[in-house]
Amino acid sequence: MKIAVASDHAGIDLKLPMLEVLKERGIEFTDFGTHDHNSTDYPSWGELVGKKVASGEYEKGLLFCGTGIGISLAANSVKGIRAVVCSDVFSAKMSREHNNCNILSLGARVVGVGLAAEILNAWLDTDFEDGGRHQRRVDMLIDIQDENMK
Ligand code: RB5
């Protein structure tokens, strides 16, 4: 699995320890930026990772900003993306199992490093429940994007 990663300046302090989690798990990733605390615009980073995942170049994405919200909204503006902001482990699991989310977004001003690592591990460990009603509903989401996004 290859993961595309990015953050804005507000997310970088949570991103760096989460990259260590990926390294410990032996997961290949690319951290596209930002690489310092200079103010930067979260929409650009969310779009970049969204495109990397939507194109199939990367299987999943990981995003960080202050709340996780803005950067996830940017990613969700890319056709093919289902990005979720999570502050709890249960939602992280469900976002994979039921929604087949392909990007996880975390808020550095919302969750601490310990909780974020639990959320990330749960998200990575949980597979989509293929087939059945969850597949049908995710297919509906894909159809909605197909109809409403270019
Ligand atoms: C930056 O101050 C902050 O607005 C951004 O990181 C994010 O939280 C937006 O949703």
Side-chain angles (χ1 to χ4, degrees):
M1 170 175 16
K2 261 172 70 183
I3 297 191
V5 184
S7 72
D8 71 355
H9 56 288
I12 192 169
D13 288 338
L14 185 59
K15 176 175 68 175
L16 296 178
M18 294 309 108
L19 296 184
E20 294 306 313
V21 172
L22 296 183
K23 283 180 199 165
E24 280 165 24
R25 293 179 63 119
I27 292 175
E28 195 182 335
F29 66 84
T30 305
D31 176 12
F32 290 97
T34 189
H35 299 298
D36 58 41
H37 289 94
N38 294 326
S39 185
T40 183
D41 299 326
Y42 62 79
S44 307
W45 299 112
E47 181 190 22
L48 187 156
V49 164
K51 284 181 168 172
K52 295 284 177 192
V53 174
S55 70
E57 192 183 342
Y58 289 79
E59 187 184 321
K60 289 192 173 82
L62 192 50
L63 291 171
F64 304 85
C65 68
T67 58
I69 297 170
I71 204 161
S72 73
L73 291 174
N76 275 320
S77 302
V78 177
K79 192 166 140 180
I81 295 306
R82 288 177 301 284
V84 63
V85 186
C86 281
S87 306
D88 69 280
V89 172
F90 179 74
S91 300
K93 284 184 187 166
M94 288 303 106
S95 78
R96 291 287 311 127
E97 208 170 292
H98 287 196
N99 314 116
N100 202 11
C101 282
N102 46 15
I103 294 183
L104 172 65
S105 185
L106 295 166
R109 296 172 180 161
V110 182
V111 291
V113 170
L115 177 56
E118 284 190 30
I119 291 168
L120 174 57
N121 280 318
W123 194 76
L124 292 170
D125 286 339
T126 308
D127 291 325
F128 179 52
E129 263 185 30
D130 257 333
R133 69 190 192 284
H134 300 310
Q135 184 68 65
R136 182 172 53 78
R137 290 164 184 161
V138 170
D139 287 345
M140 289 173 72
L141 294 176
I142 292 167
D143 287 346
I144 291 168
Q145 288 195 346
D146 283 347
E147 281 165 27
N148 294 283
M149 291 170 143
K150 61 174 184 171

